[in-house]
Amino acid sequence: MHFIAPARHTRRAFLRRAGQLAFTGTALPTVMNLAAIGEAAAFDATDYKALVCVFLFGGNDYANTVINYDATSHAQYAAIRGGIAIPRADLAATVLNPAVPLPDGKQYALHPAMTGLANLFNAGAAAVQLNVGPLVVPLTRQQYNSNSASFPRPPKLFSHNDQQSVWMSSAAEGSTTGWGGQVGDLARSSNTNSVLTCVSVAGNTVFLSGDEALSYQVGSGGAVRINCLNGNVYGSPAVRSALVDIAMQTRAHALENEYNLVTARAYGTEGAITSALNAFPANTAPFSGFPANNGLASQLRLVARLIAARNQLGSRRQVFFVSLGGFDLHDNLLNGQAGLMERLSGALTAFYDATVQLGVADKVTAFTASDFGRTLTSNGDGSDHGWGSHHLMVGGAVRGRAFYGKAPPVSVTNSTSDSFDQWHVGQGRLLPSTSVSQYAATLAQWFGVSGGELGQVLPYIGNFNSVDYPGNLGFMA
């Protein structure tokens, strides 16, 4: 079986090659010049669009998030999960009603704490991608078990740090660029201040690191200030003024000068963000509707305020990263996940409502991601590390009230003669029927990335171009 190995074709790589050739006195052939134009091209956005990655750290339990609801499937689910199954009677308020019913009478409901997201789904503003996870190539269970180099697996399956990185960058821990940052590389020229192309409200993340795009970090209250350059130092405005002069002046030493340039950029960007956000106070509509005591909601409120300030900041294309942790529930799954699902649903619902009030609901798409799904079987009081999982997409451009991908059977059989076994690799760990590359490619193309640029963003996307594994999943309008 032939598969496409990862390759990064970036503008930085082209410029490096071109510089090397120029140094040797070699003229660039016309063909290489034309290829370089393709490599270096970035889409020129005239409207506004934003992608918002909501990462659920720890590996969210898929089976208690998007729950089998029809009587037959729920009975199977309850028999396998035992004490960690959610009773069918508790799901009436979160039943999902797709515009086109699923085959064989299959139905799903969201976790009982996710009424807000269930309402968004049923109103057409959200959708579910079934059984998505990292893949290098499409895999059957037999191919997975063969350990053949012809059917490569994602690196270091079931490891938290590595699978977080694989979701974000297609490579294990240690990767230096992520697909959000690679999208940012293509989009940054559309923004007046390219530093604000990729913005994290959840600390440093490889997801937003590109070859050129930076992961600009803010807090849920706004830009992070350089304290000694803001306000009076030791009560003296003169000392502060002197420090600003020292930090901004041009230096003869290359490294000192670069350090000052970075400081000046940080200082200037913080000032621009703070000034722009002052026009959109957090305690005024549409930002006052976010739930209190909810860290994810606080992060998403800041994202909404930055989106509101897009014209002041000169932003046309942005990729954001927010997160919620605590999903590694080997124990206390029922109680632990309930609070997390409530926070996720409340935060995302309030965020969508804010984008509606801002008039940009069809310009902003939020989507969930997580280390991995978890086992369908219980370990007694929780579930263990898995692989495939179900995820949510929210926004006005999402073709909502629909399920995408293939609905897996509820089974943990190990019989090689059983067709159900094609879906699992032990303990109800889902073998993904949709790759993260496909999921990301669908979002990236909506954002403005062309088909020819996708390989730069997602190194394995070329392995997913069949009817069963299409390069675009169709959930974006």
Side-chain angles (χ1 to χ4, degrees):
M1 176 179 179
H2 174 73
F3 68 93
I4 296 174
R8 298 288 190 194
H9 300 293
T10 65
R11 285 175 284 168
R12 177 177 291 179
F14 162 71
L15 292 172
R16 183 169 57 248
R17 291 196 301 271
Q20 291 167 345
L21 286 171
F23 180 76
T24 62
T26 305
L28 289 171
T30 301
V31 172
M32 188 173 180
N33 275 317
L34 292 175
I37 293 171
E39 277 192 24
F43 53 87
D44 294 319
T46 57
D47 60 349
Y48 180 82
K49 285 185 179 179
L51 288 171
V52 184
C53 177
V54 182
F55 206 92
L56 311 178
F57 280 102
N60 182 39
D61 186 282
Y62 76 88
N64 278 11
T65 301
V66 181
I67 305 165
N68 292 87
Y69 180 74
D70 61 277
T72 299
S73 295
H74 189 275
Q76 295 170 332
Y77 150 89
I80 293 169
R81 299 225 102 183
I84 63 169
I86 295 175
R88 190 168 186 267
D90 294 349
L91 302 173
T94 55
V95 175
L96 303 179
N97 299 304
V100 178
L102 291 169
D104 303 320
K106 185 176 284 291
Q107 291 179 289
Y108 287 103
L110 293 183
H111 189 283
M114 301 175 75
T115 52
L117 282 174
N119 290 338
L120 285 185
F121 179 98
N122 291 330
V128 174
Q129 179 63 53
L130 296 166
N131 193 16
V132 57
L135 289 171
V136 177
V137 296
L139 282 179
T140 66
R141 178 178 172 272
Q142 286 76 15
Q143 291 166 346
Y144 168 84
N145 287 336
S146 72
N147 288 318
S148 169
S150 297
F151 304 106
R153 305 177 182 183
K156 299 184 180 180
L157 283 171
F158 318 128
S159 157
H160 282 294
N161 292 349
D162 293 293
Q163 292 311 296
Q164 290 163 11
S165 181
V166 172
W167 253 95
M168 297 179 192
S169 71
S170 301
E173 187 175 24
S175 178
T176 58
T177 60
W179 66 264
Q182 295 285 351
V183 167
D185 282 342
L186 296 169
R188 61 195 296 272
S189 62
S190 297
N191 298 326
T192 301
N193 186 347
S194 63
V195 173
L196 297 179
T197 303
C198 296
V199 180
S200 173
V201 201
N204 191 35
T205 172
V206 70
F207 174 72
L208 292 182
S209 296
D211 288 304
E212 296 174 347
L214 302 172
S215 175
Y216 183 78
Q217 297 176 48
V218 296
S220 58
V224 179
R225 308 184 81 185
I226 302 176
N227 289 331
C228 67
L229 302 184
N230 290 278
N232 293 336
V233 182
Y234 302 119
S236 170
V239 173
R240 172 193 171 274
S241 179
L243 285 174
V244 170
D245 288 343
I246 291 171
M248 303 299 173
Q249 64 187 213
T250 301
R251 300 297 188 94
H253 192 285
L255 292 180
E256 289 181 354
N257 196 57
E258 186 65 23
Y259 186 87
N260 277 17
L261 287 172
V262 171
T263 302
R265 182 176 61 201
Y267 180 74
T269 303
E270 181 274 323
I273 291 175
T274 299
S275 176
L277 290 181
N278 283 340
F280 303 96
N283 60 354
T284 61
F287 317 109
S288 55
F290 285 79
N293 303 315
N294 182 329
L296 179 62
S298 297
Q299 294 173 50
L300 285 171
R301 176 169 53 198
L302 192 279
V303 172
R305 292 174 66 201
L306 287 172
I307 290 171
R310 63 195 181 280
N311 292 330
Q312 290 88 332
L313 295 170
S315 300
R316 290 179 174 173
R317 286 291 188 275
Q318 292 183 286
V319 186
F320 294 96
F321 183 86
V322 298
S323 72
L324 180 63
F327 288 91
D328 193 21
L329 294 168
H330 294 277
D331 302 294
N332 197 33
L333 174 64
L334 283 178
N335 292 330
Q337 194 188 28
L340 295 170
M341 293 291 96
E342 182 179 16
R343 289 197 283 278
L344 175 65
S345 181
L348 271 175
T349 302
F351 179 69
Y352 175 76
D353 290 344
T355 64
V356 171
Q357 294 178 62
L358 290 169
V360 293
D362 62 336
K363 304 296 184 184
V364 180
T365 301
F367 60 95
T368 62
S370 190
D371 318 15
F372 36 61
R374 302 188 79 84
T375 56
L376 184 60
T377 58
S378 170
N379 61 18
D381 192 32
S383 57
D384 296 323
H385 299 178
W387 191 353
S389 190
H390 306 323
H391 284 285
L392 294 157
M393 303 80 71
V394 177
V398 173
R399 292 191 171 108
R401 205 179 163 200
F403 296 94
Y404 294 86
K406 301 173 184 177
V410 188
S411 172
V412 290
T413 179
N414 287 316
S415 169
T416 56
S417 63
D418 197 317
S419 62
F420 283 176
D421 203 46
Q422 292 293 330
W423 292 82
H424 303 97
V425 293
Q427 297 178 269
R429 291 185 176 97
L430 287 177
L431 174 61
S433 52
T434 299
S435 74
V436 173
S437 294
Q438 295 168 271
Y439 185 61
T442 306
L443 293 162
Q445 288 175 86
W446 169 78
F447 192 71
V449 177
S450 70
E453 293 167 326
L454 282 176
Q456 173 180 327
V457 175
L458 300 158
Y460 296 119
I461 190 60
N463 297 327
F464 301 95
N465 54 11
S466 66
V467 172
D468 290 332
Y469 294 87
N472 190 307
L473 299 170
F475 59 73
M476 297 301 300

